[in-house]
């Protein structure tokens, strides 16, 4: 299994996090690995059972990331900041976001990259027993509409 990790000294950008007061927290981070591959990480941290913490990475090769940067009229090293700032601002209005909201942000970043014609791969780094966390859609209050016949 390849070791993917975002190198903090290579332009790490925080995008979004679920409610930090919970036992399970999801984060979206953007940065580069040691080979300058662009990574978007959906990090699942289980503070109660740490062995079940896991990550899902979008991994884009350096040449592909460079092509995206050219389309956006920015330098390669600005990519994490530009992506992080744009989606961080877009999701900043969420009060106490749940894990599903963070997954939605991660998916929206992937859709954005696909819209620009980017090629990338998804790499999972599971926890114990190949565990990967996928949240279910939260139960939101539903409106009851009277039938006006």
């Amino acid at each position: 299994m390849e070791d993917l990790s975002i190198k903090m000294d290579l332009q790490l950008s925080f995008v979004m996090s679920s409610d930090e007061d919970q036992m399970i927290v999801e984060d979206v981070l953007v940065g580069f690995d040691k080979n300058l591959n662009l990574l978007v990480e959906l990090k699942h941290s289980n503070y109660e059972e740490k062995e079940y913490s896991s990550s899902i990475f979008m991994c884009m090769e350096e040449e592909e990331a460079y092509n995206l940067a050219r389309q956006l009229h920015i330098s390669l090293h600005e990519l994490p900041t530009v992506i992080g700032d744009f989606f961080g601002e877009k999701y900043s209005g969420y009060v106490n976001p749940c894990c599903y909201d963070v997954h939605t942000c991660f998916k929206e970043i992937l859709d954005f990259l696909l819209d620009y014609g980017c090629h990338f791969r998804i790499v999972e780094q599971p926890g114990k027993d190949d565990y990967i966390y996928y949240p279910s859609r939260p139960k939101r209050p539903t409106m009851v509409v009277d039938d006006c016949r």
Side-chain angles (χ1 to χ4, degrees):
M1 174 190 278
E2 65 185 303
D3 178 36
L4 289 178
S5 60
I6 295 175
K7 302 301 177 192
M8 291 205 186
D9 57 338
L10 294 176
Q11 201 61 37
L12 172 72
S13 183
F14 172 82
V15 181
M16 182 180 189
S17 181
S18 62
D19 185 359
E20 295 286 339
D21 293 333
Q22 302 301 314
M23 296 308 294
I24 294 175
V25 176
E26 296 273 319
D27 297 302
V28 176
L29 307 165
V30 183
F32 293 105
D33 68 5
K34 63 184 181 202
N35 299 318
L36 287 181
N37 296 315
L38 181 68
L39 301 179
V40 178
E41 179 180 11
L42 176 61
K43 184 177 181 180
H44 170 79
S45 301
N46 186 329
Y47 295 112
E48 203 166 69
E49 299 177 274
K50 293 185 188 309
E51 66 272 14
Y52 287 102
S53 295
S54 60
S55 288
I56 300 172
F57 289 92
M58 180 289 310
C59 183
M60 182 186 302
E61 293 182 7
E62 179 186 8
E63 185 177 326
E64 192 76 25
Y66 178 73
N67 290 336
L68 173 63
R70 280 191 19 224
Q71 288 182 65
L72 297 173
H73 305 287
I74 59 174
S75 73
L76 177 64
H77 292 282
E78 291 176 293
L79 261 180
T81 302
V82 169
I83 292 170
D85 288 351
F86 178 80
F87 287 96
E89 178 70 27
K90 185 171 185 174
Y91 282 86
S92 65
Y94 282 66
V95 178
N96 296 327
C98 65
C99 292
Y100 184 81
D101 297 325
V102 178
H103 273 245
T104 300
C105 176
F106 179 72
K107 181 186 178 310
E108 193 167 336
I109 293 171
L110 300 185
D111 289 343
F112 166 81
L113 297 172
L114 288 171
D115 288 346
Y116 273 90
C118 297
H119 299 92
F120 54 82
R121 58 194 168 94
I122 300 296
V123 179
E124 295 178 338
Q125 286 189 335
K128 180 180 176 183
D129 300 326
D130 290 329
Y131 180 80
I132 295 285
Y133 178 75
Y134 295 102
S136 58
R137 182 179 296 272
K139 293 185 172 82
R140 306 274 191 212
T142 56
M143 282 182 26
V144 176
V145 178
D146 291 332
D147 189 6
C148 302
R149 288 187 211 177

